[in-house]
Amino acid sequence: MFIDKAKGPHIKDVDGNRYVDYVGAWGPLILGHCHDKVISALQDQLAKGIGYGASTEAEVEIATKICELVPSIEQVRLVTSGTE
């Protein structure tokens, strides 16, 4: 099976068959594929650039929010290479 596109909880293969996506990218797609607010936020960020290789204010905001939502977390380190 080769996937062509997806929207919400559904994926469609190259033959046009539609399926419920129970995998959901193993968790990251909790809002489903192509959620309007996610697409909008991505477009806003893409207009600013991606992959700076340096810290941003958005990372501080995300880390602060994580610590607020999970009080047992005292520190957060955000990384981008996947090897940290």
Side-chain angles (χ1 to χ4, degrees), residues 29-65:
L29 291 176
I30 60 174
L31 297 177
H33 296 275
C34 298
H35 189 280
D36 292 338
K37 288 185 179 183
V38 173
I39 296 297
S40 178
L42 286 169
Q43 288 172 332
D44 290 347
Q45 183 57 49
L46 288 171
K48 297 177 185 179
I50 57 170
Y52 309 127
S55 297
T56 66
E57 186 176 339
E59 291 173 344
V60 174
E61 292 171 4
I62 291 168
T64 301
K65 191 66 167 178

Side-chain angles (χ1 to χ4, degrees), residues 7-22:
K7 177 74 176 170
H10 299 103
I11 56 175
K12 194 176 263 190
D13 68 18
V14 294
D15 296 321
N17 300 304
R18 185 174 170 222
Y19 306 92
V20 173
D21 182 3
Y22 290 108

